[in-house]
Amino acid sequence: MTVIVGGFFGDEGKGKVAGYLALSGSYNYAVRTGAINAGHTVVFNGKTYRLRVVSAGFVNKSTRLLIPPGSLIKLDVFLREVEELGVRGRVYVDYNTGVIEDVHVARERGDPVLVAIGSTLQGVGAAMADRVLRRLRLARGFAELGEFLVDVPSTVNEALERGEKVLVEGAQGTFLSLYHGTYPYVTSRDTTASGILSEVGVGPKLVDNVLVVFKAYVTRVGEGSLEGELSVEEIERRGWVERGSVTGRLRRVAPFNFKLAERAVMLNSATCIAITKIDALFPGARGARSWSGLPREAREWIEEVESRLKRPVVLISTGERIEDVVDRSRDLGVEL
Ligand code: IMP
Ligand code: MG
């Protein structure tokens, strides 16, 4: 089992990494944790998908897709995504998955604290609060979800027992964690590896790889500290302009931060690392698919990351397309 975790503030490229691994690693199951405030982008067969519920592992047609009990869906968002992706018949929702309703979205609108921290206002925090207060309605209470319902913890644990492969796709990033992030400028869940496993219903001993994903620079949407934040002019000059995939907001940007990365490695017990958007630092790396195809400076930077973080960099993303990856896992003896 491989767990994909965001190492910074979300938007590190977890969707791309999950899509790539589902295909290259022939995973039997892909579980997407988190909620609809998190958008994961994957570019596959010339099409860009922005996913809010279903795992980017959908790109592998033999991978079954699971929504675990600790995540939160919204009926309209979920059903629309199922149709758009054409995954009906291989997507399953746990009986106990939480359901966000219009009242939750309405309750967040205009909430002074949520507005001040730059919440996406998707109703996720309000629904989580209702869950804690034991009044949130769960998936098992909705007739529209009847055909999708399964016991996700049993499905995952039995698959692992049979020796099958499970990919767990976390959402958001380590420093948006409710417990370990920059509170109160955080989201409403624990985004670290342990929180992700708890949402799924599987324990830490069954994990083979904790793959922490870092982008080659740091971005953050919403408020909260961002060390080394660049001006808009500087972001444009470097070609690092990004917009949020759920809200369309401009993302704030800072250079790669080793201090944060070291802490993310610690908080998640990372076993290996993926680096995305290396081409943003080294344009010559664009589209490379082999270690020797990377410019020397890019290889040196990756080696610096490895020596400072003391973990192997197994995947390096070199472009938007799912195939644009330097996969060093085999060379480094890591089975993904
Ligand atoms: P909320 O979880 O929607 O209330 O948002 C709380 C904070 O987390 C805000 O700063 C959001 O911008 C941020 N956030 C929530 N989900 C994501 C995500 O998927 N990517 C990046 N930031 C996110
Ligand atoms: Mg995102």
Side-chain angles (χ1 to χ4, degrees), residues 230-242 253 255 279-281 283:
L230 302 173
S231 67
V232 175
E233 297 74 42
E234 185 58 21
I235 296 169
E236 283 169 359
R237 200 185 64 75
R238 297 188 187 205
W240 294 354
V241 179
E242 290 187 19
V253 183
D279 53 307
L281 296 191

Coordinates of all heavy atoms in Angstrom, one line a residue, residues 230-242 253 255 279-281 283:
L230 N 6.8 35.7 -2.8 CA 7.2 36.5 -4.0 C 6.1 37.5 -4.4 O 5.0 37.2 -4.2 CB 7.6 35.6 -5.2 CG 8.6 34.5 -4.9 CD1 8.7 33.6 -6.2 CD2 10.0 35.2 -4.6
S231 N 6.6 38.6 -4.9 CA 5.6 39.6 -5.5 C 5.0 39.0 -6.7 O 5.5 38.1 -7.4 CB 6.3 40.9 -5.8 OG 7.2 40.7 -6.9
V232 N 3.8 39.6 -7.1 CA 3.1 39.2 -8.3 C 4.1 39.3 -9.5 O 4.1 38.4 -10.4 CB 1.8 40.0 -8.5 CG1 1.2 39.6 -9.8 CG2 0.9 39.7 -7.3
E233 N 4.8 40.4 -9.6 CA 5.7 40.6 -10.7 C 6.8 39.5 -10.8 O 7.1 39.0 -11.9 CB 6.4 42.0 -10.6 CG 5.5 43.2 -10.6 CD 4.7 43.4 -9.3 OE1 5.3 43.2 -8.2 OE2 3.5 43.7 -9.4
E234 N 7.3 39.2 -9.6 CA 8.4 38.1 -9.6 C 7.8 36.8 -10.0 O 8.4 36.0 -10.7 CB 9.0 38.1 -8.2 CG 10.2 37.2 -8.0 CD 11.3 37.5 -9.0 OE1 11.4 38.6 -9.5 OE2 12.1 36.5 -9.2
I235 N 6.5 36.5 -9.5 CA 5.9 35.2 -9.9 C 5.7 35.1 -11.4 O 6.0 34.1 -12.0 CB 4.5 35.1 -9.2 CG1 4.7 35.1 -7.6 CG2 3.8 33.9 -9.7 CD1 3.4 35.2 -6.9
E236 N 5.3 36.3 -12.0 CA 5.2 36.3 -13.4 C 6.5 36.1 -14.1 O 6.6 35.4 -15.1 CB 4.5 37.6 -13.9 CG 3.0 37.5 -13.6 CD 2.3 38.9 -13.8 OE1 3.0 39.9 -14.1 OE2 1.1 38.9 -13.5
R237 N 7.5 36.8 -13.6 CA 8.8 36.8 -14.2 C 9.4 35.3 -14.3 O 9.9 34.9 -15.2 CB 9.8 37.7 -13.5 CG 11.1 38.1 -14.3 CD 12.0 38.8 -13.4 NE 12.6 38.1 -12.3 CZ 13.5 37.1 -12.4 NH1 14.0 36.8 -13.6 NH2 14.0 36.5 -11.4
R238 N 9.1 34.6 -13.2 CA 9.6 33.2 -13.1 C 8.7 32.2 -13.8 O 9.0 31.0 -13.9 CB 9.7 32.8 -11.6 CG 10.7 33.6 -10.9 CD 11.0 33.0 -9.5 NE 11.8 33.9 -8.7 CZ 12.5 33.5 -7.6 NH1 12.5 32.3 -7.3 NH2 13.3 34.4 -7.0
G239 N 7.5 32.7 -14.2 CA 6.5 31.8 -14.9 C 5.9 30.8 -13.9 O 5.6 29.7 -14.3
W240 N 5.7 31.3 -12.7 CA 5.1 30.4 -11.7 C 3.6 30.7 -11.3 O 3.2 30.5 -10.2 CB 5.9 30.4 -10.4 CG 7.3 29.8 -10.5 CD1 7.8 29.2 -11.6 CD2 8.4 29.8 -9.6 NE1 9.1 28.8 -11.4 CE2 9.5 29.2 -10.1 CE3 8.5 30.3 -8.3 CZ2 10.7 29.0 -9.4 CZ3 9.7 30.2 -7.6 CH2 10.8 29.5 -8.1
V241 N 2.9 31.4 -12.3 CA 1.6 31.8 -12.0 C 0.6 30.6 -12.0 O 0.7 29.7 -12.9 CB 1.1 32.8 -13.1 CG1 -0.4 33.2 -12.8 CG2 2.0 34.0 -13.2
E242 N -0.2 30.4 -10.9 CA -1.1 29.3 -10.8 C -2.4 29.9 -10.3 O -2.4 30.8 -9.5 CB -0.6 28.3 -9.9 CG 0.6 27.5 -10.3 CD 0.9 26.3 -9.4 OE1 0.0 25.9 -8.6 OE2 2.0 25.8 -9.5
V253 N 2.9 32.4 -4.0 CA 4.1 31.6 -4.3 C 5.3 32.0 -3.6 O 5.6 33.1 -3.3 CB 4.3 31.7 -5.9 CG1 5.5 30.8 -6.3 CG2 3.1 31.4 -6.7
P255 N 9.7 30.3 -3.0 CA 10.6 29.3 -3.5 C 10.5 28.1 -2.6 O 10.0 28.1 -1.5 CB 12.0 30.0 -3.3 CG 11.7 31.4 -3.2 CD 10.4 31.6 -2.6
D279 N 10.4 21.3 -14.2 CA 10.6 22.1 -15.4 C 10.4 23.6 -15.1 O 10.8 24.4 -15.8 CB 9.7 21.7 -16.5 CG 8.2 21.6 -16.1 OD1 7.9 20.9 -15.1 OD2 7.4 22.2 -16.8
A280 N 9.7 23.9 -13.9 CA 9.6 25.3 -13.6 C 10.9 25.9 -13.1 O 11.1 27.1 -13.2 CB 8.5 25.5 -12.5
L281 N 11.8 25.0 -12.5 CA 13.1 25.5 -12.1 C 14.1 25.3 -13.2 O 15.0 26.1 -13.3 CB 13.6 24.6 -10.9 CG 12.8 24.7 -9.6 CD1 13.6 24.0 -8.5 CD2 12.5 26.1 -9.2
P283 N 14.0 24.7 -17.1 CA 13.2 24.5 -18.4 C 13.7 23.3 -19.2 O 12.9 22.7 -19.9 CB 13.3 25.8 -19.1 CG 13.7 26.8 -18.0 CD 14.4 26.1 -17.0

